Amino acid sequence: MHLSPAQREEFLYLNDRLTRFAGLDPARVEDAYADPELIERFIRDAGEELTDAQKQAVRNFVGYRKGRFYLVKQYKKYAVLLQQNTLYGVVGVDQAPAEMVDKGLPVYMEAALLPFNDTIVMTSSTVCEDGKNGSVSRSDIEYEFKQIKDVRGITETLDPQTLEEQNSPAAQAAEQELRQYLRTAATRDTHATEIKKILDKYPELHDVYMQMYSKISARTIKKDLKACGVRERHFAVYNNSVVAVAPTRGELLEQLSDLSFDGMMGQCALFRL
């Protein structure tokens, strides 16, 4: 997916005006995104030549980010980039992101993302050829993608104000606190009251709770199976139960994909004996 002709025209127009105002080479427009004061001067200088919506669009350029991502999926609506624990739904300027790379997905790449109105635009991309993506397998990337998608969903905006509302400091602190309480079975039991209070106040953290709970259960199950002499198998645990077993990780992930699991795949814990 990419910007419509009208969106593309407006996007390029605003970037061109900002670049010329800043006296930058077009290849250095990123320097302008990183300077909120320059952007405000540009908006004041433009006056009525820009609509209020266009001015806000330029203000949002400060949400720009550049880094290394996995390009994991290309949907009709947008492509999905994976970075750490976040998925971004992005579009290209004039072509779909998957069309910018000459390889099958997933692809490890360096990309630049810019918020524009209600979308995230991938303004540039370069496939990483230096091997610094490590030995992460395709199945591991697919599993991580499904886990994050089930628990956190796909971020469709870099609008600073929207992100602040979605990720309030209080909610982030609550999630961090919840994860600390769920490090082990002992800490979970000790802080049962505090955990309930957090979940009552932030019900959206229930998925995180189940994900951590499954990890705790997996440790006990792994220990018991190992004591019974079970070897050379991969397991998936949800809540207190083993829901899939396979001789390889790839087959295990296929089993989980085949299960009618109602979005709970991301709450499973995997281990190997």
Side-chain angles (χ1 to χ4, degrees), residues 91-105:
V91 302
V93 177
D94 51 19
Q95 62 182 143
E99 296 174 356
M100 300 180 191
V101 299
D102 190 25
K103 289 187 175 183
L105 306 184

Side-chain angles (χ1 to χ4, degrees), residues 38-130:
L38 184 150
I39 286 178
E40 287 301 323
R41 291 200 305 272
F42 164 71
I43 290 172
R44 288 196 299 270
D45 183 78
E48 295 182 359
E49 293 179 11
L50 297 181
T51 67
D52 289 343
Q54 289 174 328
K55 292 175 181 178
Q56 187 57 52
V58 176
R59 283 194 178 97
N60 289 344
F61 285 172
V62 297
Y64 164 88
R65 63 189 61 186
K66 188 173 185 178
R68 293 195 169 188
F69 307 81
Y70 285 102
L71 174 54
V72 185
K73 298 286 184 182
Q74 177 67 61
Y75 294 130
K76 184 176 181 180
K77 182 180 180 181
Y78 48 53
V80 180
L81 299 185
L82 164 64
Q83 186 186 61
Q84 297 178 340
N85 293 319
T86 304
L87 298 174
Y88 299 95
V90 307
V91 302
V93 177
D94 51 19
Q95 62 182 143
E99 296 174 356
M100 300 180 191
V101 299
D102 190 25
K103 289 187 175 183
L105 306 184
V107 172
Y108 192 56
M109 64 193 304
E110 184 168 297
L113 309 182
L114 186 68
F116 179 61
N117 296 336
D118 296 325
T119 60
I120 302 174
V121 180
M122 190 164 81
T123 59
S124 67
S125 65
T126 305
V127 174
C128 297
E129 303 289 357
D130 56 12

